[in-house]
Amino acid sequence: MKTIDMLRNLLLIAIITFSVACSSDDPEIESEEEVITDVTLTFTEVDESGAALSASFDVLASDPEGLELGSSPTIGSITLEAGKRYLLEIELYNSIEDEDITEEILEEDDEHQFYFLGSAFVGTPVLTYVYDDEDGDGNPIGLRGFVTVAESPAVNNAQFRLVLRHDLNKGFPGANNPNFENFVNAGGETDLDIIFPLIITGN
């Protein structure tokens, strides 16, 4: 009887030890999505050669919990002038972890791409966008590009939707179009999807 009890106890110890070992070896699930708390859009009016014609100005969006996670984002309005051409540069930051997300995108440029959507760019667009940067494979990124405002826009307000995709297939048909509405078909995940109000003046 003692032998049976001893074997039972040894078996119980073995099961407990195995369970603890397995639970400690379980890998932690990490989210691939970037946490972005601050977005800065810098606009500079330029001529056809890209030379600056005026001082730049910034439009900001922020949420201390993350723009994709928080419930009360602060998003500025974009005001552009009809018939003008602007250089647009984008910077992103994670204030929670004190991380420069712009630098991370540049380091992993083959995995990231911005899309420019909303009524400002699709349907009856008042803006056109052209990428002015590319990754090591020659595919667009979108941290830098040119925005041209229509000479006589049909409306003086619209939605400027900015989407950042991560780990997409940049070779997917249509993925190199900055206004690609079916971007989800190229795979990957969304790191950022926000809408800035757009106002056009001078029309």
Side-chain angles (χ1 to χ4, degrees):
M1 191 69 177
K2 289 183 178 179
T3 302
I4 295 174
D5 289 340
M6 185 179 299
L7 288 173
R8 184 182 295 123
N9 290 337
L10 287 173
L11 181 60
L12 183 60
I13 292 171
I15 291 172
I16 293 173
T17 303
F18 179 76
S19 298
V20 171
C22 286
S23 63
S24 63
D25 290 339
D26 289 342
E28 293 184 10
I29 298 173
E30 296 183 3
S31 174
E32 290 295 322
E33 293 184 15
E34 304 284 7
V35 175
I36 299 169
T37 60
D38 302 273
V39 175
T40 302
L41 307 184
T42 301
F43 291 88
T44 307
E45 184 186 348
V46 295
D47 61 19
E48 287 303 315
S49 70
L53 297 175
S54 63
S56 62
F57 62 91
D58 295 337
V59 179
L60 309 178
S62 65
D63 191 306
E65 298 178 5
L67 285 163
E68 289 296 299
L69 305 172
S71 58
S72 56
T74 300
I75 299 177
S77 296
I78 300 170
T79 301
L80 303 177
E81 189 173 344
K84 302 294 185 179
R85 183 172 185 252
Y86 297 86
L87 170 65
L88 169 59
E89 297 170 290
I90 302 173
E91 294 184 349
L92 305 99
Y93 190 70
N94 177 359
S95 62
I96 299 171
E97 301 292 338
D98 191 22
E99 292 178 340
D100 184 347
I101 305 300
T102 310
E103 187 64 31
E104 289 189 18
I105 291 174
L106 289 172
E107 291 174 357
E108 302 174 354
D109 54 10
D110 61 327
E111 299 178 7
H112 292 86
Q113 187 172 335
F114 286 91
Y115 289 100
F116 301 83
L117 304 165
S119 58
F121 294 99
V122 298
T124 306
V126 295
L127 303 180
T128 57
Y129 179 90
V130 177
Y131 292 110
D132 191 48
D133 55 3
E134 59 183 32
D135 62 23
D137 297 320
N139 296 311
I141 305 168
L143 285 170
R144 176 187 168 95
F146 292 101
V147 174
T148 302
V149 188
E151 288 284 352
S152 300
V155 296
N156 67 355
N157 59 76
Q159 292 185 329
F160 186 115
R161 181 184 175 195
L162 181 67
V163 175
L164 173 61
R165 293 291 285 180
H166 180 192
D167 202 26
L168 72 163
N169 174 13
K170 292 192 177 186
F172 186 85
N176 63 349
N177 175 3
N179 314 130
F180 186 43
E181 292 185 271
N182 297 320
F183 57 82
V184 294
N185 292 340
E189 299 178 343
T190 295
D191 286 336
L192 181 71
D193 188 346
I194 57 175
I195 295 175
F196 294 86
L198 172 68
I199 300 170
I200 306 298
T201 63
N203 57 318

